[in-house]
Amino acid sequence: MVKSENDKCEKEPWRGQYYRLEEIQKHNHSQSTWIILHNRVYDLTKFLEEHPGGEEVLREQAGGDATESFEDVGHSTDARNLSDTFIVGELHPVSILSLHSVPDSFSWTNWVIPAIAALIVALMYRFYMSE
Ligand code: HEM
């Protein structure tokens, strides 16, 4: 049983086929529509017109990471099984890092909060020393 599952894994032709974000972003039009779901790359060009949720939602996500939108919809198991047939490869590890890196706004709070805390401590210190 376990062996047959492993065999299935090895036969998946897209495994080890890596694409960088810059490459995927080029496929953002109706002639070639790629999206990323859970770090895997999907070519949905031939599925656009058949998608029960409509063509438009897929077009909007074309060339980018659609994982959140895909999960928000709560796609059925059938939909997930169907999605496997469109996988063409995996997101390159370097692109995974850049896609999931900490957004700027977070690094901003990383220094703003300590700066405000330091200011409060400095003011308190001055206040008590002047007495
Ligand atoms: C490989 C990619 C995808 C496949 C194979 C797929 C397939 C399907 C299928 C089979 C359904 C019918 C309902 C179900 O069985 O869950 C559906 C509905 C839907 N999908 Fe997708 N989908 C994909 C990606 C997306 C993405 C990326 C979005 C959002 C940007 C999306 C948005 C929707 C919406 C809004 C519906 C309608 C839900 C409803 O009527 O309740 N889908 N999709």
Side-chain angles (χ1 to χ4, degrees):
M1 183 64 188
V2 173
K3 190 175 183 300
S4 69
E5 271 174 19
N6 284 343
D7 285 347
K8 189 181 163 232
C9 269
E10 281 159 20
K11 278 175 199 153
E12 286 166 340
W14 49 268
R15 281 201 183 267
Q17 176 69 54
Y18 290 118
Y19 293 101
R20 288 183 185 248
L21 204 51
E22 301 77 49
E23 172 64 26
I24 299 162
Q25 283 165 343
K26 290 180 199 160
H27 299 265
N28 64 355
H29 47 87
S30 55
Q31 269 76 47
S32 186
T33 309
W34 289 13
I35 61 161
I36 302 161
L37 295 176
H38 296 290
N39 299 330
R40 285 177 189 161
V41 184
Y42 294 73
D43 181 354
L44 300 181
T45 317
K46 293 190 176 122
F47 181 61
L48 288 180
E49 290 176 17
E50 290 164 34
H51 182 226
E55 199 170 326
E56 196 51 38
V57 286
L58 298 181
R59 279 180 190 277
E60 279 167 14
Q61 305 291 329
D65 187 2
T67 309
E68 210 178 313
S69 317
F70 181 84
E71 293 302 341
D72 281 351
V73 171
H75 281 89
S76 66
T77 308
D78 278 354
R80 285 164 198 277
N81 290 338
L82 177 65
S83 73
D84 286 352
T85 63
F86 300 110
I87 305 176
V88 291
E90 300 173 68
L91 191 55
H92 192 283
V94 168
S95 294
I96 292 179
L97 286 177
S98 64
L99 195 66
H100 301 292
S101 63
V102 181
D104 285 352
S105 53
F106 277 107
S107 49
W108 186 75
T109 54
N110 279 352
W111 67 263
V112 165
I113 291 169
I116 291 171
L119 193 66
I120 292 168
V121 170
L123 286 172
M124 283 170 72
Y125 182 74
R126 236 188 120 183
F127 177 74
Y128 284 115
M129 288 304 282
S130 65
E131 279 185 354

